[in-house]
């Protein structure tokens, strides 16, 4: 069955630097992959989707890459700010349906 | 903007009680989901529904049931609450697959069973 691996250790970076988070999956390559942001005590919020035929997707300071050979997606936040501190989850479809498998997330801490 | 609301932010129940968690979405989405989230385990799908009165089990349905009598409302029922059901419960909805498949989450209900 498909599994998602995200670094469970928090990523601690200085304000202004680029944060890079990793999402690895173990089995079949999904048709797309999604990234969500979750603040403490809140539900996740959808950020970006990247499809299998897209190498890179950008939205403002966010950039996502998708490497089906490595079975990996990278999530970058450029010019990071303390307000970017949150847990970031990746998710991919469980099969050909609308069900998603979520990673357990990586917590990002941006120091002022 | 899509809005998903959940009936309670915090809930404390006793072992053996029947518990109802309500979720309402205002975007006419066909698909609705119930997850629980526990530290280190991530989001785990309990049940989902792809239409009124239609439901399918997720990964961890044991001890739970659901009801979807109206399109906008999806209820999670704990028939006899147990301490191992203490968790954060998240409801989500999503549009048909013609969209991006993104899910919109409610604020969550933190349930404590004592």
């Amino acid at each position: 069955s498909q599994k998602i691996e995200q670094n469970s250790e928090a990523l601690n970076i200085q304000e202004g630097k680029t944060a890079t988070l990793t999402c690895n999956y173990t089995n079949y390559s999904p048709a797309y992959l999604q990234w969500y942001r979750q603040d403490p005590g809140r539900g996740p919020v959808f950020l970006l989707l990247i499809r299998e035929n897209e190498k890179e997707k950008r939205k403002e300071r966010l950039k996502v890459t998708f490497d089906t050979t490595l079975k990996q997606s990278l999530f970058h936040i450029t010019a990071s700010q303390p307000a970017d501190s949150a847990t970031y989850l990746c998710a991919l479809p469980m099969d050909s349906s609308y069900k998603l498998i979520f990673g357990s997330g990586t917590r990002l801490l941006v120091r002022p | 903007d899509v809005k998903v609301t959940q009936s309670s932010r915090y809930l404390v129940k006793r072992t053996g009680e029947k518990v109802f968690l309500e979720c309402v979405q205002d975007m006419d989405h066909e698909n609705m989901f119930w997850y629980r989230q526990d530290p280190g385990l991530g989001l785990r799908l309990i049940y989902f529904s792809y239409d009124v009165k239609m439901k399918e089990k997720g990964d961890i349905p044991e001890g739970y049931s659901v009801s979807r009598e109206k399109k906008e409302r999806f209820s999670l029922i704990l028939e006899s609450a147990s301490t191992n059901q203490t968790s954060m419960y998240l409801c989500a909805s999503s549009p048909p697959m013609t969209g991006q498949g993104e899910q919109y989450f409610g604020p969550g209900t933190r349930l404590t069973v004592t």
Side-chain angles (χ1 to χ4, degrees):
Chain A
S1 61
Q2 184 75 281
K3 289 186 180 176
I4 298 178
E5 296 166 354
Q6 292 187 261
N7 195 340
S8 58
E9 287 186 24
L11 179 63
N12 199 324
I13 65 168
Q14 186 73 41
E15 181 176 8
K17 300 292 186 184
T18 296
T20 299
L21 306 176
T22 303
C23 174
N24 294 297
Y25 56 92
T26 59
N27 203 345
Y28 58 85
S29 277
Y32 59 85
L33 190 146
Q34 301 179 358
W35 284 90
Y36 290 77
R37 169 185 171 138
Q38 186 174 23
D39 292 289
R42 301 285 181 181
V45 175
F46 172 76
L47 295 175
L48 276 172
L49 176 147
I50 185 165
R51 300 189 187 281
E52 61 180 336
N53 60 350
E54 297 174 317
K55 294 292 185 188
E56 183 179 295
K57 197 83 168 276
R58 290 177 186 261
K59 180 183 176 182
E60 298 172 354
R61 294 185 295 110
L62 308 180
K63 185 179 85 171
V64 173
T65 63
F66 193 4
D67 189 325
T68 55
T69 302
L70 294 178
K71 297 188 176 181
Q72 181 180 82
S73 175
L74 298 178
F75 177 83
H76 307 271
I77 305 176
T78 57
S80 60
Q81 304 166 1
D84 295 325
S85 298
T87 297
Y88 292 86
L89 311 173
C90 71
L92 46 88
M94 199 175 287
D95 41 44
S96 58
S97 76
Y98 37 78
K99 291 180 286 182
L100 295 175
I101 306 171
F102 285 84
S104 54
T106 298
R107 188 173 173 210
L108 172 66
L109 299 170
V110 182
R111 301 189 309 275
Chain B
D1 280 351
V2 176
K3 192 167 184 183
V4 180
T5 57
Q6 296 184 227
S7 50
S8 305
R9 291 300 309 276
Y10 300 94
L11 211 51
V12 180
K13 295 292 182 181
R14 293 188 179 273
T15 301
E17 279 193 82
K18 191 168 186 176
V19 181
F20 293 87
L21 302 181
E22 301 279 333
C23 175
V24 178
Q25 52 96 0
D26 67 357
M27 281 302 290
D28 203 36
H29 285 169
E30 279 78 5
N31 306 316
M32 295 189 75
F33 309 83
W34 273 107
Y35 296 90
R36 65 177 283 177
Q37 187 174 33
D38 301 287
L41 296 177
L43 283 160
R44 293 181 291 168
L45 182 63
I46 304 172
Y47 266 99
F48 67 99
S49 169
Y50 50 91
D51 203 348
V52 175
K53 296 191 186 294
M54 306 302 287
K55 61 187 179 186
E56 284 192 26
K57 294 178 180 179
D59 298 323
I60 50 165
E62 296 77 21
Y64 304 95
S65 62
V66 291
S67 172
R68 193 163 180 204
E69 296 297 320
K70 293 185 178 181
K71 191 174 187 179
E72 68 271 17
R73 189 179 298 269
F74 192 34
S75 303
L76 180 69
I77 303 151
L78 285 66
E79 296 290 341
S80 177
S82 63
T83 55
N84 62 13
Q85 292 179 310
T86 292
S87 186
M88 170 70 101
Y89 288 88
L90 290 158
C91 173
S93 71
S94 74
M97 279 299 286
T98 50
Q100 297 190 104
E102 72 276 20
Q103 295 190 5
Y104 297 86
F105 285 83
T109 296
R110 186 163 293 282
L111 173 67
T112 302
V113 182
T114 61

